[in-house]
């Protein structure tokens, strides 16, 4: 079933090449939305350029990030090795996989450190994740196009094509990528329960935030946005009237390491 | 010609036997890695390349170093190198073979390695690295084989082989330049993000490769009747001298820019390597070895003294190995992009696999050199 759907999409992809669809777009559906049900419906959300605005003023403590991280990691079957039997704590740390997590200001915004910082900023935990860069160095580095940027700006992974060379991890200036050093399906949390809407991974491939491409295709908001009680907005950066653009117009925002020219699509209102 | 490698004395077979044992042991460990994943290594989310890629980088240099023999002989008709060009070429073959093995050992999904060819991606530097490495491997096997075959038949090498030899020269520079480009084009990795990286790689390559070749010449002289000749060895040692000086000089430039400008992104990595990190004693040792080697090599009476020369070559090889095979990769990954210090140290299993790849390289080298030396003995 899964196979035939993939090959159907591939054929559709070849057919669509002529009408201006690019191949990566279709590969994206083929690989990131693998699941038992066809998921590209009329309800699918679309954008010229997907982006995210995080209103950090709405976070008060690290606790506020927990449901967000949990929602994302649950939706995407991210393995949790923290209670893996017979693994040392060093191993658990080395093999850690995370798509979205919290960091102090000076770690998240390494080029914007100040000696003296407002109390709030100093003690806040900032959610960090893949920035879905407009000029993604990870995509530039990947020798197989296993990681690629879709026309709507989402940077995706094809878990079936990745050879696990980890060139993309060296290339990402934000530490946003994780590698499956061991079989993720052996993690306790995934042995207990997996989310059927997203594939689990095999060992030896890289993974990262996919801006919930599989949920957007079903007309749903990304899991983090949904769990954030309004602190995270996802929308079309290419549309001046979109939710995200209106937020950016009315609030001062910053991005991570803009001087590198990667053009992150994730904005932080501080 | 392969049959010449099948006849050897006791020492030859014992040596190959030892290497085979190490390879076998390493292979068993590799099967474990294949089953469990790269989790058996010390690599992590933050230091995502480790010992394997570092060895790869160093050995690309050793392979490129062979060109320092080929170039003077074929481009400048420097006759004294006539006898040892084949040694340079076969050294390159074994070094590149090791490089390819290290790449495979480092892949999370080795069975998919061919995806690099099935989905060629010319914007990725790894694509070009694959082309130049395999090209250089092919050129060296091909040229070495044909020339040796002709020597065996006491006929001059055919004219059509010349273009292949000439192409192999830019390829030698190419393999190490592209390998440096893997690192130095990555935004946000300030330790590597420097235009001097490729020149630095080349200079250390042209020191380490020829230094190793000198050592091999002495080994061959001890165990076989092959003598490279005083003149050839002295010339190679001068090449080593200037290359190692260039290497230390380039590194000095790097240190100056980082420390004088004081830009934190550049300073932190050097500070990690030489002050804060577990590698600090190694890095200082590396510097000391290279500087001592320069002294010994620069002063003609010590350079001309064979025993001192041997020591100097070992110093060069060890110094550059620590520099590239240990420091170069960790140095770039620590601290991580979020300025956190998560160090890397290889695990025992990782070291065993590494050792086995080196053993496989020496196995190939031994067999190839056995062939070369036998032909030289036959025709002498
Ligand atoms: S944040 Fe990193 S992984 Fe995400 S697109 Fe940018 S470079 Fe790639
Ligand atoms: S690890 Fe996978 S996604 Fe990353 S560069 Fe290699 S093949 Fe591409």
């Amino acid at each position: 079933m899964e196979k035939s759907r993939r090959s159907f999409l591939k054929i559709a992809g070849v057919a669509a090449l002529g009408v201006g669809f690019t191949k990566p777009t279709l590969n994206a559906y083929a690989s990131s939305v693998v699941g038992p049900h066809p998921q590209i419906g009329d309800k699918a959300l679309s954008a010229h350029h997907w982006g995210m605005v995080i209103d950090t003023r709405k976070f008060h403590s690290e606790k506020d990030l927990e449901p967000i991280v949990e929602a994302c990691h649950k939706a995407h079957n991210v393995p949790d090795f923290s209670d893996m039997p017979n693994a040392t704590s060093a191993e658990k740390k080395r093999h850690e996989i995370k798509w979205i997590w919290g960091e102090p200001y000076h770690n998240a915004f390494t080029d914007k450190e100040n000696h003296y910082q407002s109390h709030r900023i100093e003690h806040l935990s900032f959610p960090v994740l893949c920035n879905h860069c407009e000029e993604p160095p990870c995509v530039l580095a990947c020798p197989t196009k296993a990681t690629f940027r879709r026309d709507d700006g989402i940077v995706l992974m094809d878990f079936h094509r990745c050879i696990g060379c980890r060139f993309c991890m060296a290339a990402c200036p934000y530490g946003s990528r994780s590698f499956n050093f061991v079989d993720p399906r052996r993690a306790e949390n995934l042995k207990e329960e997996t989310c059927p809407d997203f594939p689990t991974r095999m060992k030896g491939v890289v993974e990262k935030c996919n801006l919930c491409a599989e949920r957007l295709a079903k007309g749903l908001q990304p899991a983090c946005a949904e769990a954030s009680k309004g602190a995270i907005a996802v929308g079309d950066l290419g549309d001046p009237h979109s939710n995200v653009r209106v937020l950016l117009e009315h609030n001062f925002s910053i991005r991570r390491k803009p001087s590198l020219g990667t053009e992150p699509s994730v904005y932080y209102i501080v | 010609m392969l049959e010449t490698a099948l006849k050897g004395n006791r020492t030859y077979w014992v040596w190959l036997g030892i290497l085979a044992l190490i390879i076998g042991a390493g292979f068993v460990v590799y099967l474990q890695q294949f089953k469990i994943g790269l989790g058996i290594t010390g690599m992590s989310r933050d230091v995502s390349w480790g010992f394997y890629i570092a060895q790869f980088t160093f050995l690309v240099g050793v392979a490129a170093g062979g060109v320092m023999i080929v170039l003077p002989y074929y481009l400048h008709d420097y006759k004294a190198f006539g006898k040892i060009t084949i040694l340079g070429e076969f050294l390159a073959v074994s070094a590149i073979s090791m490089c390819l093995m290290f790449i495979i050992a480092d892949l999370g999904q080795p069975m998919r390695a061919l995806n690099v060819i099935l989905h060629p991606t010319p914007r990725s530097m790894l694509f070009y690295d694959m082309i130049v490495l395999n090209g250089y491997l092919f050129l060296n096997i091909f040229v070495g084989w044909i020339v040796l075959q002709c020597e065996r038949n006491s006929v001059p090498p055919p004219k059509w082989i010349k273009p292949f030899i000439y192409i192999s020269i830019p390829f030698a520079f190419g393999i190490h330049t592209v390998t440096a480009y893997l690192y130095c084009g990555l935004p946000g990795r300030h330790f590597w993000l420097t235009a001097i990286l490729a020149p630095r790689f080349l200079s250390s390559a042209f020191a380490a490769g020829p230094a190793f070749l000198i050592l091999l010449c002495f080994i061959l002289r001890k165990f076989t009747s092959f003598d490279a000749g005083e003149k050839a060895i002295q010339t190679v040692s001068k090449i080593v001298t200037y290359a190692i000086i260039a290497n230390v000089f380039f590194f000095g430039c790097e240190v100056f820019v980082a420390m004088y400008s004081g830009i934190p992104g550049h300073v932190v990595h050097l500070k990690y390597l030489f002050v804060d990190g577990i590698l600090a004693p190694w890095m200082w040792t590396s510097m000391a070895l290279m500087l001592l080697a320069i002294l010994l090599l620069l002063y003609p009476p010590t350079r001309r003294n064979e025993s001192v020369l041997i020591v100097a070559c070992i110093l060069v090889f060890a110094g550059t190995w620590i520099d590239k095979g240990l420091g170069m990769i960790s140095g770039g990954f620590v601290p991580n992009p979020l300025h956190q210090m998560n160090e890397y140290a290889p695990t025992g299993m990782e070291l065993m696999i590494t050792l086995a790849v080196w053993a496989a390289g020496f196995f190939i080298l031994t067999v190839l050199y056995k062939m070369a030396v036998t032909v030289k003995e036959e025709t002498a």
Side-chain angles (χ1 to χ4, degrees), chain B residues 148-168:
Chain B
L148 197 62
Q149 189 90 55
C150 293
E151 197 172 326
R152 195 177 191 200
N153 300 336
S154 306
V155 293
K159 277 229 167 52
W160 54 259
I161 196 78
K162 277 280 164 72
F164 290 96
I165 295 171
Y166 293 142
I167 297 172
S168 82

Side-chain angles (χ1 to χ4, degrees), chain A residues 130-133 136-138 155 172-174 176-177 208:
Chain A
C130 168
N131 287 292
H132 298 278
C133 306
C138 56
V155 176
C172 173
Y174 305 97
S176 301
R177 298 180 155 258
K208 65 165 196 77

Side-chain angles (χ1 to χ4, degrees), chain B residues 180-298:
Chain B
Y181 285 1
L182 293 180
Y183 305 105
C184 69
L186 306 177
R189 301 279 180 191
H190 290 294
F191 183 63
W192 301 327
L193 190 71
T194 160
I196 202 90
L197 200 72
R200 215 179 127 193
F201 272 22
L202 284 170
S203 60
S204 100
F206 295 154
F212 192 53
L213 207 71
I214 293 178
L215 295 173
L216 289 172
C217 285
F218 284 126
I219 293 173
L220 286 180
R221 202 179 64 189
K222 186 157 183 349
F223 288 99
T224 72
S225 62
F226 179 82
D227 187 2
E230 159 97 21
K231 191 172 172 212
I233 289 194
Q234 277 303 312
T235 312
V236 182
S237 67
K238 280 179 206 148
I239 293 173
V240 175
T241 311
Y242 290 105
I244 190 74
I245 291 175
N247 186 40
V248 173
F249 170 68
F250 289 159
F251 178 67
C253 296
E254 189 65 55
V255 174
F256 172 78
V257 170
M259 302 313 277
Y260 196 80
S261 73
I263 297 175
H266 295 264
V267 176
V268 278
H269 296 284
L270 286 175
K271 209 166 146 263
Y272 164 71
L273 279 181
F274 284 88
V275 185
D276 302 329
I278 39 169
L279 287 178
W282 289 90
M283 296 313 291
W284 286 108
T285 309
S286 160
M287 285 300 131
L289 296 181
M290 291 196 278
L291 287 172
L292 185 59
I294 291 178
L295 286 181
L296 295 178
L297 287 168
L298 258 187

Side-chain angles (χ1 to χ4, degrees), chain B residues 298-364:
Chain B
L298 258 187
Y299 185 53
T302 47
R303 184 180 63 234
R304 278 191 216 113
N305 179 318
E306 261 179 24
S307 341
V308 181
L309 179 60
I310 291 176
V311 173
C313 287
I314 295 174
L315 296 182
V316 167
F317 195 76
T320 49
W321 180 78
I322 297 173
D323 183 26
K324 253 162 142 183
L326 273 184
M328 188 57 71
I329 303 303
S330 290
F333 280 117
V334 189
N336 74 1
L338 296 124
H339 288 191
Q340 292 146 338
M341 289 279 181
N342 291 320
E343 290 197 287
Y344 160 81
T347 61
M349 287 170 102
E350 201 174 355
L351 290 176
M352 186 62 226
I353 293 175
T354 304
L355 192 68
V357 175
W358 275 90
F362 273 101
F363 194 100
I364 296 172

Side-chain angles (χ1 to χ4, degrees), chain A residues 142-144 146-147 157 162-168 177 206:
Chain A
C142 178
T144 62
T147 194
M157 273 297 305
C162 174
I163 58 173
C165 65
R166 311 187 296 298
F167 202 3
C168 53
R177 298 180 155 258
V206 166

